[in-house]
Structure formats: structure tokens, C-alpha cells
Amino acid sequence: MKCLLILFLVIATEAANETRACNDGKIRGVNAGGWLLLEPWITPRFFEDFDANDGNQQRIVDEYTVAQYVDPAEYREKMKTHWATFMSLADFQRVAEAGVSHVRLPVAYWYWDVEAGEPFPAPNMDENDEYSPLYYIKQALSWAAQTGIKVEIDVHSGPGSQNPFDNSGRRRDVESDIHWCCDGSDSRHNIERSIAVVGKIASMLKTWLDSGIITWESLYGICVLNEPFAIPGLRDDIWIALRDDYYPKAYEAIREHLDDRVFVNYQGAFRAGSEFDDYFNDFSSVSVDKHIYQSFGFDWCGVATLPSEEMYQVHYDVSCGYRDDIINRNKPTFTGEFSLAVTECQKYLVDGYHVPYHPPHCEFEEICGFYDAGWDTFPQEQKDFYAKYFLAQTEGFEYGDNGAGWFFWTMKTEDQCAPEWDFIFLLDNGIIPADLCNKELVC
């Protein structure tokens, strides 16, 4: 049986060479957001149903509180059903047909490490059990092998929360309430837990590689922590802990199991790309991940109030202007998250699950009224803007030797609830080119 499985993977890998990979070394990828780590704005109905069953108390707002307040047996069944149905092989096939080369797969630390006081079930290390998240990680890597895609395992949540957002697994309503590190306790405990987690992930992947369950060709690398809240001037202490402590030790933990065929990826942590230039230069196969959105905050909401043509041009100029930054980097640097959104109007997007949802930095009712009215209400000129906006952003991200490419956030949303963020929806509607290898240059 094992021989047959290895033969199948070899055939799948050969078949992958017949897909539309562009063969230019650039990453053209999508995120599998909202699948193995919940985010309310990606799956709003999932959270609204839980909230309704909980008496509309609005206390179930992230995956931590799902585990905390939902009956354990129901939690187990709901998660298994979600994992089994939200993503499919057909989704991987659809994006691969267009030339997508990579999928970034967000995962949670508690799949490998749960301590007393945390509400999550004990880690289930049986990758053959459909109630274990490892089953779906393995499944994603199998789908990748079948479709010629490479996967990056993205540690999207850190113990104690590395940022205050619900995408860390636990939303914090006060930005200073971060306990991954640097909380005044002088404790490195959650940093050590995170190092152990990336080591366990690397060990698991090496076991699967050695047994032929997955292939080297379907594995890009491991992002060691998503969006640590190292805001310049506000949380430089987190940046120092990342740069001088966690990032080097996470590299060592991965290299104990996986050689430089696998990239170690450092997320940009809200810092300038130049801050990585003088560090980690003795490490092999290291890349940097910048998240670049033109939608969050008062400034971008203000841009959305401009006359249409003027607003469009601002976004084109900023997108193309990224080339001036990426050309100076000395490490492969990709944009691990971006979208076509130009506001934060999408329900539950900023500050998470609140009913009713009010975008905290965009209080112009006519703006959110326009963007929330639905795709079919947009004039053609708005849809044409989105198409050129995608081209401009991706052209910037792919520019030069170290413009390593991009991952769109995200592959799909529940019931196509967020069109500006839904890659498959945009692809099916002709906004994203059907052939990413031969897209028009607009910068």
C-alpha cells in the first residue's frame, strides 16, 4: 500500500508540471484563510449561529471563545464539519488552473500545544483521524501534490496572542493585552512554547516526507509567526524579541528537521522591509513576508471619499510605487496578504464580531453603503478598477530579483460574503485573469 501511495505521489508530481505554473520563480499564491483557524468576517454565519444559540451575548467572537463557551462535543463536531467542507480539492484545482503556484495555510498553535487554563481540546496527533486538524493539513498537502501547488504552513496564532486581533485565535479588546512576550512579566514562556511548536511542525513534516505521505515538491516552507504586533515606536520591545530571540531560534528549530529545500519565513511584523536587510544573512533559504493592504484606517477611508477616477489613481500609484521599495531588498520578499478592498466596511473585518458592526475608522455611511450593497450593484467602472488594481498590485509585488511574489487573502469566503477578498469569486467573475502567467502590465 505504501508503495502504491508513493507511486501515486510521483505521478501527481509529474502531472503538476503540466499545470500553468509560470516557471519564472515567482510566487503567485492564495491564502486558505478561515479554514483551519476561524475568523468571523470570513465565516460570519458560522459565528452568528453560535451567537444565536448562546443567547446573542456576543461573547463568542473568535476560536478561543468558541472553544470556551460551546459544549465540547458540539465544538468537536462543528469544527470537524467545517474543516471537512470549507475547502476542497476542487478549490485547489480551480486556482491552479489559473496559474496559482502556492497556498499559504494558516494553522493554530493549539494543534500541538495546549496548557492548563486554555479552552482548547488536548492536541490530537493522529493525522488519520478526521477529528484532528492534522488530517486536514495532510489533506491540503496531498491536494497540493495533485495540483502542482506548493504549501507554506503559516503559524497564524501564538500562545498568549502575538497581536490583539481575532486572527491570532484570541481577540484582545485592549491592544496592550498581549502576552506572547513583553508583557512586563519578564517571562519567555510563550516564546519557548512557540519555538517548540515550530519544531513539532517541522518534525511532523519530516516524518511525512520520509514516509512518502507528502512530497518535497509540494512544500514551500514554514512562516514562524503571523503578524506579531511590533508596531514601530509603540511595541519596539516585541520587534527586539523577534529579531534577536525568536526568529533565530525558530530557524534553528526548523533546521533540526528540514534542510534548506524548505524556506523559513519571517513575517514583517509591521516593520519596514529595510529592517530585515542587516539580519539573518548567514541563514539559508530565508524569506520575508510583508502584508500590504490599502483599506485599513482613517486615511484609506478618506481616499474612498474622493471622486472615483481620483480614488482609482491613488490606488494604482501606491501599488506601482511598491517597486521602489522592493528593488532595494536583499532577501526574497513576498506579500503574504493583500486584497482588492479599499475600505474596512466588510462586516466584522476590524475589531471583530460586534453586532451591529461599525467600521471603527470609516464612519461615512454613504461609503460603506456603497461597498456593502453587493457585487451586482457595482457599476462596470468599479469592476474595471478592481481588475486593474489587481494587476498593479501584483506587478509591484513581483518586481525585481527579490520581489518574490504574493499570496492573495483569501481563497474563498463563506457564501461569497466578501467579494473584494474572495479570490475564487473574483476569478470566476473575470476580475482576476484566467492566466496569471500572461497578465497585462499596467505600471
Side-chain angles (χ1 to χ4, degrees):
M1 184 65 183
K2 180 178 177 181
C3 292
L4 289 174
L5 177 60
I6 294 173
L7 177 62
F8 166 76
L9 289 172
V10 169
I11 293 172
T13 301
E14 291 175 350
N17 296 327
E18 299 173 6
T19 64
R20 285 170 113 177
C22 305
N23 297 317
D24 60 359
K26 300 295 185 182
I27 293 170
R28 297 175 178 90
V30 293
N31 284 273
W35 182 25
L36 301 184
L37 198 156
L38 299 174
E39 296 189 38
W41 72 270
I42 299 176
T43 55
R45 184 164 44 82
F46 188 91
F47 279 85
E48 289 162 357
D49 289 347
F50 273 133
D51 189 32
N53 293 335
D54 192 47
N56 296 308
Q57 299 182 68
Q58 296 190 48
R59 61 178 184 168
I60 298 177
V61 299
D62 51 30
E63 193 156 343
Y64 187 97
T65 48
V66 172
Q68 184 175 18
Y69 295 119
V70 175
D71 176 79
E74 181 184 2
Y75 172 78
R76 184 172 186 263
E77 291 296 332
K78 290 285 189 181
M79 295 310 299
K80 184 251 188 184
T81 299
H82 172 71
W83 293 335
T85 59
F86 188 66
M87 290 283 175
S88 68
L89 173 59
D91 296 324
F92 276 58
Q93 291 170 329
R94 179 71 184 98
V95 300
E97 288 169 359
V100 163
S101 58
H102 291 64
V103 167
R104 183 170 176 257
L105 184 65
V107 299
Y109 77 86
W110 56 85
Y111 299 165
W112 294 272
D113 183 332
V114 175
E115 288 192 345
E118 295 177 334
F120 305 107
N124 181 346
M125 295 292 99
D126 183 358
E127 73 267 15
N128 297 311
D129 181 358
E130 294 184 19
Y131 287 92
S132 169
L134 305 192
Y135 176 90
Y136 301 95
I137 296 173
K138 183 179 70 172
Q139 185 177 68
L141 285 157
S142 173
W143 293 342
Q146 294 176 62
T147 54
I149 283 173
K150 289 182 178 288
V151 171
E152 177 183 64
I153 305 297
D154 159 40
V155 182
H156 217 68
S157 65
S161 301
Q162 77 278 16
N163 65 47
F165 313 132
D166 54 22
N167 64 35
S168 73
R170 187 178 188 182
R171 189 181 85 192
R172 306 283 187 166
D173 291 330
V174 178
E175 289 185 348
S176 60
D177 189 20
I178 298 171
H179 301 281
W180 180 77
C181 84
C182 317
D183 60 0
S185 67
D186 294 325
S187 173
R188 294 185 67 265
H189 179 62
N190 284 327
I191 292 178
E192 289 296 336
R193 290 177 69 191
S194 299
I195 295 167
V197 165
V198 297
K200 290 175 182 178
I201 293 171
S203 175
M204 174 191 76
L205 293 171
K206 186 59 164 61
T207 297
W208 291 354
L209 287 162
D210 288 345
S211 61
I213 292 174
I214 66 172
T215 67
W216 289 97
E217 290 78 10
S218 59
L219 181 61
Y220 167 78
I222 299 172
C223 173
V224 300
L225 191 63
N226 178 69
E227 293 186 350
F229 200 63
I231 305 296
L234 179 66
R235 294 307 307 264
D236 293 325
D237 53 344
I238 296 178
W239 170 237
I240 292 169
L242 290 165
R243 185 193 66 196
D244 299 345
D245 187 355
Y246 179 62
Y247 279 172
K249 290 183 173 63
Y251 176 90
E252 294 171 0
I254 292 169
R255 286 289 177 254
E256 286 183 16
H257 306 281
L258 299 168
D259 61 33
D260 59 10
R261 284 175 287 183
V262 175
F263 270 82
V264 175
N265 176 248
Y266 296 143
Q267 207 286 315
F270 305 98
R271 313 296 292 196
S274 59
E275 294 192 66
F276 288 82
D277 289 348
D278 294 332
Y279 294 89
F280 320 119
N281 292 324
D282 293 331
F283 296 168
S284 60
S285 296
V286 166
S287 59
V288 176
D289 166 9
K290 299 285 290 178
H291 293 177
I292 301 176
Y293 289 112
Q294 298 180 39
S295 56
F296 296 113
F298 294 111
D299 289 346
W300 285 117
C301 184
V303 170
T305 68
L306 296 173
S308 294
E309 290 300 326
E310 188 175 346
M311 184 268 284
Y312 299 160
Q313 194 61 49
V314 170
H315 287 286
Y316 299 149
D317 290 345
V318 170
S319 300
C320 294
Y322 182 67
R323 298 176 302 171
D324 296 333
D325 178 74
I326 196 65
I327 196 67
N328 296 312
R329 302 285 67 78
N330 64 1
K331 297 177 182 64
T333 302
F334 60 75
T335 299
E337 295 184 19
F338 76 105
S339 76
L340 298 191
V342 295
T343 73
E344 56 189 44
C345 295
Q346 180 63 42
K347 185 169 66 171
Y348 311 144
L349 178 62
V350 177
D351 292 347
Y353 185 85
H354 291 92
V355 181
Y357 173 69
H358 297 292
H361 310 109
C362 201
E363 299 178 353
F364 300 104
E365 291 185 7
E366 66 275 17
I367 295 299
C368 286
F370 174 80
Y371 285 101
D372 290 342
W375 183 260
D376 291 340
T377 69
F378 290 155
Q380 187 59 46
E381 70 167 16
Q382 183 74 16
K383 297 176 182 179
D384 293 342
F385 157 69
Y386 285 129
K388 186 175 178 181
Y389 182 32
F390 176 85
L391 294 172
Q393 288 190 86
T394 55
E395 184 175 339
F397 302 151
E398 297 172 19
Y399 187 73
D401 292 340
N402 283 318
W406 47 268
F407 290 84
F408 188 90
W409 187 277
T410 185
M411 189 188 299
K412 63 190 298 188
T413 60
E414 181 185 67
D415 301 327
Q416 300 178 333
C417 65
E420 296 170 307
W421 300 83
D422 191 317
F423 187 93
I424 290 177
F425 175 87
L426 294 164
L427 181 61
D428 288 344
N429 282 272
I431 304 302
I432 291 175
D435 181 0
L436 293 168
C437 301
N438 293 291
K439 53 189 172 65
E440 179 184 358
L441 299 179
V442 298
C443 292

